[in-house]
Amino acid sequence: MMTRIGKLMVLICVFVLVGALTAPAAEDPIKIGIVSPVSGNYGDHGKLERMGMKAALEEFGSKVLGRPVELVVADSETNPDVAARRARRLIEVDGCKYLMGAVSSSVAAAISAVATENKVLYFATNGNSDTLNASKANTYMFHVAPSMAMLVRGGADYVAKNIGKKWFYITHDYSWGHSGTAWARASAKKLGVTEVGEIKVPLGTRDFSSQLLQARQSGADVLVVTMAGFDNVALLKQLAEYRIYDKMKVWYTLMEFVDMWPLKPEQRQAYANVEVYWNENDKTRAFAEMLQKNNPDTPCPMPLDNGTYEGWLAMKILLTGIQKAGTDDVDSVIKTIEGLEIKDNMRKYPTRVRAWDHQVITQIDLIKANPKATGPAMWDVIDEVDAATVARTKAENPINVSISK
Amino acid sequence: MRPKSITRDPYLYIFLAFALYPFYPFLGNFTSLGSELLLFFIFTLSFNLCLGYTALPSFGHGALYGMGTFGAALTFLHLTPGLGIGLSILIGGLTGMLGATAVGWLIRDKKGIYFAMMTVAFSQVMFGLCWRWDEVTGGESGLTGLSRTSFLGLDISGSVPYYYLCFGFFVVCAILIRIIARSSFGMTLQSIRQNPVRATYLGYNTGFYKFLVYALSGFFAGLAGALYCFLAGAAFADIFDWTKSGDVVIATLLGGGTASFYGPIVGSLIFLVCKELISAFWENWLLAYGLFFVLIILICPRGLLGLITDKDHTCGISKEKRES
């Protein structure tokens, strides 16, 4: 029996090897590895960001420096350990010099650790945590999505001046949620806003009846919400069911189009900070229409959501960087990207890449959902803020990860 | 061991196959997968001491692995920064053991489903703690900056040297775990699995034996977790997620942990390698993966090695055991 197990081991090894040998070998094209959720809870978000990346690549004719560009997709499963393994595969087996993707901040931090170890350039596309360009910042990572500091401060001013000055917080009870509330609180202090209460909600909560009752009775004008994912979809529905909108305004520190789209029109009434809205101007409209035409299988109509835009932007920054550097050498590309400005980004304000914290800065929109709207034009943009005015300053975030420091 | 029995020993082939891993074409480039495989072997072998040998359904074993990871990571970052990783790995193992000791003592006499639920609850508590305690564990964004420097003075920053470090640990742990499994202690465990009431009447303190094997298993799981954090260069709360505990159960059952000592190794090999290979070529790989798992369980409910060993079984005792 013993030798039979031994033989089986040898057989398995041979089987694995033969399977592996038939795999394609690495060669000439510039390879960009995308670690992005293909399956699971965030599969839709992953699909959107990959859609954006492909669109940007097509703008460059799928080529840079005369060499074809190949995208290699690996499923992150929204799990840092799996994502790190997939990132290592992209580097070790596929020979990718550039990585991109991640929907959550923990996945981004995990991939970033792998990228740094292998000296590979990584673009964190869709995690909003403040740590990504503070304690977790490093030379080999650019943070494309706005941090919570930018998002919250981008909307706080308008909300305090025009909507209400008594705030009640509902927060997802982990670091990301805490950071949203912390920034809102810091802004509130400056703007003369009073806090009337706070509820921290554990991850995985789907029934908000007691929390909403408490919020209703608090006498607040504004309910400040920092929640994400399926919990948030449940909360959005219950906000309407419990008639919270009759009592107070609701302001989301971050909202995804794809999360609010499944609601009935009359259930959509909140204010929210977003990174982009497809109906912002003619260019974004045209872009969203093009995306919809080219991708019949999208999670929402007019699929230009936060993730799509950040994916598009990351790819555009990378390809522009490679083109300007004239080489695909990672360190030279990082040097070129630091301080890069992109004007044709479809927005009111240009995109800038800060050298010292590797944060990409574009613009924050404050939107109001319109319950009377029909079709995908469910939001109205009420304020556009230049993200440079709300991003953390050097004094607030004393780090320097620039490659030429 | 007699020379003849060495050539008949599956470990010889396993060790040989993995000693040469970095030189394999294609897969050899993916050195870190090899390291991860070896660590997963240690993890599943230790887990099988509980499930396969003692019939302890420790469905929260990922918690012990995670405790090892965080124990090592915190030691490395706060107690021994700049020094080698040797001490951190040892402390990681001990942290896993500590977790197992604390929980194991409380639940040593719980049976079946109750034991399983308690271990799952334990891993959820650890997850909650880790996910929320930002100051210590980094919360959502975890601990990073675990750049492995040296081990006992050897430079292990490259992926191949680290692979061989993991290989060394694997060889030692694998042999130790088999010694435990075949010792009189291991035999007692098997008697507890086969008939706990009878074992009690024979005078064995079954609760104490269960506690001991759980603690030992925790040590090896913690060790694997500790080595893993230096492979990843980071530690995240998600390691305590129930899916991690699920993975080890699936891998062990797939290979046939209840049928053979080597089941967990075969299972983890298939579990990890197939997952990586299929997911590289097909977006909807989870579907294929799920079907594959269902098929295996339908065809051979005792796992892959069950196909081989069950032929040798008479009256539930394998030929191998009757001979030895």
Side-chain angles (χ1 to χ4, degrees), chain A residues 101-113 116 122-149 175-176 179 356-360 392 397 399 401, chain B residues 138 140-142 144 236:
Chain A
V103 161
S104 78
S105 303
S106 56
V107 168
I111 301 174
S112 159
T116 313
Y122 168 58
F123 284 83
T125 43
N126 207 9
N128 301 89
S129 164
D130 289 310
T131 55
L132 287 178
N133 64 332
S135 61
K136 306 279 181 227
N138 72 64
T139 309
Y140 290 92
M141 169 169 67
F142 286 98
H143 185 204
V144 185
S147 62
M148 281 316 278
S175 45
W176 173 74
S179 74
W356 57 275
D357 67 347
H358 279 199
Q359 171 73 49
V360 176
R392 271 180 295 182
N397 185 20
I399 57 158
V401 292
Chain B
E140 186 202 12
S141 43
T144 48
F236 295 95

Side-chain angles (χ1 to χ4, degrees), chain A residues 69-203:
Chain A
V69 178
E70 194 184 308
L71 302 185
V72 192
V73 178
D75 189 357
S76 76
E77 299 179 40
T78 326
N79 175 318
D81 290 321
V82 176
R85 187 193 310 141
R86 300 277 147 84
R88 283 197 298 266
R89 186 184 75 204
L90 290 172
I91 297 168
E92 293 174 12
V93 180
D94 298 299
C96 296
K97 279 181 167 180
Y98 309 100
L99 295 177
M100 209 173 263
V103 161
S104 78
S105 303
S106 56
V107 168
I111 301 174
S112 159
V114 175
T116 313
E117 190 192 322
N118 292 286
K119 302 221 174 327
V120 155
L121 176 54
Y122 168 58
F123 284 83
T125 43
N126 207 9
N128 301 89
S129 164
D130 289 310
T131 55
L132 287 178
N133 64 332
S135 61
K136 306 279 181 227
N138 72 64
T139 309
Y140 290 92
M141 169 169 67
F142 286 98
H143 185 204
V144 185
S147 62
M148 281 316 278
M150 286 154 81
L151 281 163
V152 178
R153 298 205 284 201
D157 214 35
Y158 185 94
V159 173
K161 280 179 189 144
N162 301 296
I163 302 177
K165 284 197 186 259
K166 270 154 85 185
W167 292 2
F168 187 95
Y169 300 96
I170 289 193
T171 313
H172 238 166
D173 196 5
Y174 66 97
S175 45
W176 173 74
H178 297 170
S179 74
T181 302
W183 287 114
R185 247 183 213 143
S187 300
K189 210 178 247 175
K190 282 185 205 140
L191 296 163
V193 168
T194 46
E195 178 180 337
V196 292
E198 183 197 13
I199 299 180
K200 290 180 184 168
V201 186
L203 208 63

Side-chain angles (χ1 to χ4, degrees), chain B residues 217-253:
Chain B
S217 172
F219 177 74
F220 289 112
L223 210 59
L227 284 161
Y228 178 74
C229 84
F230 292 106
L231 175 70
F236 295 95
D238 300 64
I239 211 161
F240 291 107
D241 195 50
W242 63 270
T243 50
K244 182 87 202 167
S245 308
D247 284 353
V248 62
V249 177
I250 291 176
T252 306
L253 291 180

